[in-house]
């Protein structure tokens, strides 16, 4: 056998082993999924857990179908989804923008430092009532909740990464006579993409928290409202349904961020 | 008038806990088209001096002029290759070598062709679309060299450009760089630890002593070595005696600078 076919065979074997491993991983993931839901169903039917509180997958599914048919689920979902995406984008963009301003002016960043620390340690959801009074019990204040919860932490994390870019990259650009804006665009921002992406991932979760809490406080629509309403009328199937819908949506958003990551970060790997 | 002139440059680095004088009383003149080397022990302030000449660092005292102008204004005419390659990992090789044109807004087809030809001359054909981390250390250093040469600066400063290369590649690149610079009549400053390289490539060698960095001695290379290519200069009969002289001077600096 010549060495060339040997290498090809080895490579094929390597790919096969990768595939096999992936299959097993998927298999176990599926098993966990099935065990969880069937366990839940059985435990509920046999009254191991209180079916009134924990509901059961079949009841959730029935409710899901009913709510899909009368269209009410989509109304609530679209409200919440819109608020979350809006809050998420607003929080991330404003946070990054603030970080850019701080990078631009080192003096300003020194002055702002203690205030950022204070704002960051503050539990943002506690601002909810103030937002509602200030902006009205509406869409605006819920979006504001979704944004405010992530904006300061985004600013701090992204600014830190801006500062940590190797100054020698800046030197290279300066030898070509780059302006401060060019330095930002060519070195600072792209060098910080990995950090920005990972804050995006964190912000996906944070925005959901902000929006759901916001809906607890004000809304008459949305998944957060569905949870609080289900709680009030003791319809826990409704609560479970909205929890599951939130889980699915948050996961999809997370996946989209990962897609963006693959688009944005290229260095030949 | 001299092309590049440094008058009584002093530089002290200040930190919260210390003040390090990196350079003290450096005065020198370099003529247009001249090739000089800075040779000296580690930490004697060579990189600092290059940063000052490039206008990246304001010296604590002293003045530098390039063609009679302050270096801050003349910075477009100065190419500076840092001690490590500092290629941008998220840019392809092509984007990296075209960076200078992109920054000053002069990117066009003829510039691009020129840069790609340089890349080819460095023995790096076909890597344009790759990313820096796919290349070896020596290849990256050559790419960095292309990036610096591409904008055709009048003054070129190279901080140990060949240090990460294997000996053969190093000899070849020495010839290549030397020929390229000579044919365009470029002025160059080379920082190196390698006495042989300094002798083979330069017209003059400035030997630095450290703490604080000062010009200890200047060696002027004989004409026969200047005219020869670096490779041939290394084999020239005058080479080894100069090597001995420089070596002895460098040795005499060492004991005084034990840390
Ligand atoms: N940013 C800085 N802050 C404080 N001290 C510095 C800084 N950069 C360099 N120094 C000090 O200045 C002196 C000269 O440093 P420099 O990097 O110019 O030396 P060098 O001759 O280039 O050394 P090498 O040959 O190892 O590259 C050293 O003592 C170093 O510790
Ligand atoms: Mg150095």
């Amino acid at each position: 056998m010549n060495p060339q076919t040997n290498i090809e065979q080895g490579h094929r074997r390597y790919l096969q082993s990768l595939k096999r491993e992936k299959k097993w991983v998927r298999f176990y993931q599926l098993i966990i999924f099935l065990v969880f839901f069937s366990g839940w169903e059985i435990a509920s039917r046999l009254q191991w857990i209180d079916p009134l509180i924990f509901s059961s997958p079949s009841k959730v599914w029935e409710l899901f179908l009913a709510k899909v048919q009368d269209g009410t689920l989509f109304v609530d979902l679209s409200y919440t989804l819109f608020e979350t995406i809006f809050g998420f984008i607003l929080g991330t963009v404003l946070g990054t923008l603030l970080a850019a301003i701080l990078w631009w002016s080192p003096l300003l960043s020194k002055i702002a430092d203690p205030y950022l620390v204070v704002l960051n340690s503050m539990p943002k959801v506690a601002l909810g009532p103030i937002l509602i009074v200030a902006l009205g019990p509406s869409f605006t204040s819920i979006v504001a909740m979704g944004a405010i919860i992530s904006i300061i932490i985004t600013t701090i994390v992204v600014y830190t990464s801006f500062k940590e870019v190797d100054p020698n990259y800046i030197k290279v650009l300066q030898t070509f006579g780059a302006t401060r804006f060019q330095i930002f665009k060519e070195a600072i921002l792209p060098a910080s993409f990995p950090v920005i992406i990972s804050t995006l991932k964190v912000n996906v979760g944070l925005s959901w928290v902000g929006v759901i809490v916001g809906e607890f406080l004000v809304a008459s629509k949305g998944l957060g409202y569905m949870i609080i309403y289900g709680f009030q009328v003791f319809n826990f199937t409704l609560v479970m349904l909205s929890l599951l819908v939130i889980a699915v949506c948050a996961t999809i958003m997370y996946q989209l961020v990962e897609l963006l990551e693959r688009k944005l970060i290229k260095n030949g790997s | 008038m001299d092309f590049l002139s440094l008058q009584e440059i002093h530089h002290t680095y200040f930190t919260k806990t210390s003040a390090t004088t990196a350079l003290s009383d450096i005065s020198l003149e370099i003529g247009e088209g001249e090739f000089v080397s800075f040779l000296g022990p580690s930490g004697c302030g060579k990189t600092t001096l290059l940063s000052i000449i490039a206008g990246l660092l304001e010296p604590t005292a002293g003045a530098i002029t390039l063609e009679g102008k302050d270096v801050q204004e003349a910075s477009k005419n100065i190419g500076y290759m840092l001690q490590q390659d500092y290629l941008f990992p998220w840019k392809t090789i092509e984007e990296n070598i075209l960076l200078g044109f992109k920054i000053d807004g002069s990117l066009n087809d003829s510039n691009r062709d020129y840069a790609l030809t340089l890349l080819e001359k460095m023995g790096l054909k076909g890597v344009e679309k790759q990313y820096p981390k796919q290349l070896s250390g020596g290849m990256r250093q050559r790419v960095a060299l292309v990036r610096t040469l591409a904008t055709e600066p009048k003054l070129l400063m190279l901080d140990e450009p060949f240090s990460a290369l294997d000996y053969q590649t190093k000899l070849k690149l020495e010839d290549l760089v030397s020929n390229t610079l000579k044919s365009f009549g470029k002025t160059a400053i080379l920082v190196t630890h390698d006495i042989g390289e300094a002798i083979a490539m330069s017209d003059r060698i400035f030997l630095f002593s450290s703490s604080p960095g000062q010009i200890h001695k200047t060696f002027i290379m004989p004409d026969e070595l200047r005219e020869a290519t670096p490779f041939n200069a290394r084999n020239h009969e005058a080479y080894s005696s100069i090597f001995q002289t420089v070596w002895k001077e460098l040795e005499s600096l060492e004991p005084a600078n034990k840390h």
Side-chain angles (χ1 to χ4, degrees):
Chain A
M1 207 188 305
N2 70 39
Q4 188 59 40
T5 56
N6 230 340
I7 288 173
E8 269 168 27
Q9 261 184 359
H11 190 229
R12 213 173 314 128
R13 254 202 304 278
Y14 172 72
L15 289 182
Q16 269 167 359
S17 78
L18 278 188
K19 234 190 225 163
R20 207 170 317 127
E21 187 190 64
K22 204 172 165 189
K23 253 190 217 156
W24 278 110
V25 169
R26 284 272 177 275
F27 174 72
Y28 283 117
Q29 284 169 341
L30 193 67
I31 291 282
I32 291 174
F33 182 85
L34 291 177
V35 165
F36 176 76
F37 281 97
S38 53
W40 181 10
E41 182 70 40
I42 292 165
S44 173
R45 292 232 172 143
L46 300 180
Q47 310 264 324
W48 293 346
I49 52 174
D50 188 344
L52 260 182
I53 295 177
F54 293 103
S55 186
S56 74
S58 55
K59 279 195 235 160
V60 172
W61 179 247
E62 270 164 38
L63 183 66
F64 173 72
L65 291 179
K67 274 184 142 317
V68 167
Q69 255 149 25
D70 66 11
T72 51
L73 183 64
F74 289 116
V75 175
D76 282 318
L77 177 59
S78 59
Y79 268 100
T80 305
L81 209 54
F82 194 62
E83 287 156 357
T84 308
I85 291 172
F86 217 65
F88 165 74
I89 292 173
L90 215 60
T92 313
V93 169
L94 287 181
T96 310
L97 217 61
L98 271 178
I101 292 169
L102 292 181
W103 177 81
W104 201 273
S105 161
L107 183 64
L108 182 66
S109 84
K110 283 196 191 105
I111 295 170
D113 184 61
Y115 297 103
L116 284 177
V117 173
V118 171
L119 286 175
N120 187 42
S121 18
M122 183 115 112
K124 257 70 70 184
V125 289
L127 294 174
I130 296 172
L131 281 179
I132 291 161
V133 174
L135 302 171
S138 62
F139 172 76
T140 324
S141 56
I142 298 178
V143 170
M145 282 286 285
I148 212 167
I149 200 166
S150 56
I151 190 166
I152 300 295
I153 188 69
T154 305
T155 307
I156 292 175
V157 173
V158 174
Y159 172 60
T160 308
S161 112
F162 282 173
K163 264 196 321 192
E164 276 166 5
V165 174
D166 191 328
N168 285 304
Y169 287 117
I170 299 174
K171 256 194 184 180
V172 169
L173 290 168
Q174 280 172 336
T175 61
F176 292 126
T179 62
R180 205 157 163 73
F181 177 73
Q182 282 174 322
I183 289 171
F184 183 76
K185 185 170 146 264
E186 299 294 333
I188 304 294
L189 191 62
S192 306
F193 275 155
V195 172
I196 293 177
I197 291 285
S198 62
T199 57
L200 282 182
K201 287 180 183 169
V202 175
N203 289 353
V204 167
L206 286 179
S207 315
W208 279 97
V209 173
V211 165
I212 296 297
V213 170
E215 288 183 346
F216 280 3
L217 292 177
V218 290
S220 45
K221 313 177 237 339
L223 296 172
Y225 171 71
M226 250 166 81
I227 292 175
I228 216 79
Y229 177 77
F231 169 63
Q232 279 162 0
V233 302
F234 222 74
N235 178 356
F236 277 85
T237 309
L238 192 60
V239 175
M240 288 297 177
L241 175 63
S242 51
L243 284 182
L244 287 176
V245 172
I246 290 171
V248 170
C249 292
T251 309
I252 293 173
M253 253 173 99
Y254 192 87
Q255 298 285 331
L256 288 177
V257 172
E258 282 198 330
L259 204 73
L260 183 73
E261 177 172 24
R262 253 169 284 146
K263 277 260 153 63
L264 218 50
I265 295 177
K266 11 167 208 186
N267 52 17
S269 59
Chain B
M1 199 204 313
D2 282 301
F3 181 69
L4 176 74
S5 138
L6 279 69
Q7 286 124 29
E8 289 165 31
I9 302 287
H10 287 261
H11 190 76
T12 305
Y13 283 107
F14 295 104
T15 64
K16 269 184 196 148
T17 50
S18 68
T20 318
T21 299
L23 294 170
S24 155
D25 194 22
I26 307 276
S27 296
L28 56 86
E29 254 104 46
I30 299 173
E32 180 148 28
E34 204 179 358
F35 194 121
V36 306
S37 290
F38 291 169
L39 190 66
S42 185
C44 68
K46 303 180 298 287
T47 299
T48 306
L49 189 56
L50 291 197
S51 298
I52 289 173
I53 298 174
L56 300 175
L57 195 66
E58 182 95 20
T60 340
I64 320 135
T65 50
L66 184 74
E67 295 184 303
K69 272 185 280 178
D70 197 81
V71 282
Q72 300 288 347
E73 298 156 37
S75 75
K76 279 237 169 73
N77 293 324
I78 302 175
Y80 178 17
M81 180 178 158
L82 303 186
Q83 202 160 353
Q84 279 151 47
D85 58 69
Y86 291 107
L87 298 178
F88 291 71
W90 53 86
K91 289 180 187 291
T92 61
I93 301 304
E94 180 170 347
E95 286 166 346
N96 265 294
I97 61 175
L98 297 177
L99 187 64
F101 299 127
K102 190 174 177 197
I103 294 297
D104 67 14
S106 68
L107 184 59
N108 57 33
D109 283 347
S110 77
N111 283 338
R112 183 192 308 268
D113 285 347
Y114 178 68
L116 290 174
T117 324
L118 271 179
L119 194 67
E120 202 180 321
K121 269 198 197 163
M122 296 281 170
L124 289 171
K125 208 176 167 189
V127 299
E128 300 83 5
K129 298 287 175 260
Q130 294 187 15
Y131 286 90
K133 73 182 223 186
Q134 293 169 292
L135 305 189
S136 74
M139 290 160 93
R140 294 165 55 122
Q141 215 160 18
R142 279 179 273 165
V143 175
L145 193 56
V146 172
R147 177 173 68 185
T148 314
L149 287 172
T151 51
E152 303 190 63
K154 285 187 178 162
L155 171 65
L156 194 72
M157 299 194 290
L158 308 169
D159 201 344
E160 303 186 29
F162 309 124
S163 58
L165 302 176
D166 61 278
Y167 196 64
Q168 261 183 318
T169 318
K170 175 175 152 136
L171 292 185
K172 273 194 210 150
L173 276 189
E174 281 178 12
D175 274 11
L176 180 63
V177 169
S178 170
N179 286 340
T180 318
L181 295 184
K182 278 226 175 87
S183 64
F184 291 114
K186 297 261 194 269
T187 315
I189 302 173
L190 172 78
V191 167
T192 178
H193 281 135
D194 179 344
I195 302 174
E197 182 172 289
I199 297 171
M201 294 194 72
S202 0
D203 302 324
R204 264 195 299 167
I205 299 175
F206 293 97
L207 181 63
F208 284 70
S209 59
S210 59
S211 350
Q214 271 172 322
I215 297 178
H216 178 72
K217 213 166 178 142
T218 311
F219 300 93
I220 299 171
M221 295 301 113
D223 287 340
E224 59 266 33
L225 285 188
R226 288 192 205 186
E227 275 145 27
T229 64
F231 186 83
N232 291 335
R234 281 177 191 267
N235 295 319
H236 200 278
E237 57 208 11
Y239 174 85
S240 60
S241 73
I242 296 173
F243 192 98
Q244 291 300 329
T245 322
V246 179
W247 171 262
K248 288 221 179 76
E249 278 302 331
L250 201 54
E251 279 278 85
S252 77
L253 292 174
E254 294 293 329
N257 293 305
K258 273 211 182 101
H259 291 287

